Amino acid sequence: CVGCVWFGLDSYSAQKVIKVMQRLVSNERKTVVCIIHQPSIELLNVFNQLILVADGRIAYSGPPNKAISFFER
């Protein structure tokens, strides 16, 4: 468990944390779950799967690059 690793990080540092998490996923076959408030689009697109929650319910689940078109429907 990484905990609140994002709190106060600038975008460069956040990218470095993501790289470590990607290594965990690919090299050690681990699942990583992150909660990120207001990520940059660049950071968002690093993830394979995105789950957006609104009012305690899942509003979207899928690839980050398809989220905008999902809500434009």
Side-chain angles (χ1 to χ4, degrees):
C1 179
V2 177
C4 293
V5 71
W6 305 106
F7 185 75
L9 289 184
D10 57 50
S11 60
Y12 175 78
S13 298
Q15 293 275 351
K16 291 187 82 72
V17 171
I18 288 295
K19 295 291 182 192
V20 170
M21 290 183 182
Q22 285 178 315
R23 281 194 295 269
L24 284 172
V25 169
S26 63
N27 297 345
E28 300 192 28
R29 303 180 68 142
K30 302 288 183 184
T31 298
V32 175
V33 176
C34 299
I35 299 171
I36 306 173
H37 298 275
Q38 299 179 338
S40 68
I41 195 70
E42 294 83 13
L43 183 61
L44 194 63
N45 283 321
V46 170
F47 292 92
N48 298 329
Q49 180 76 11
L50 174 66
I51 299 174
L52 298 176
V53 178
D55 296 324
R57 305 181 108 193
I58 294 176
Y60 174 79
S61 178
N65 63 345
K66 295 188 178 177
I68 292 174
S69 63
F70 174 82
F71 288 105
E72 290 177 336
R73 292 193 247 158

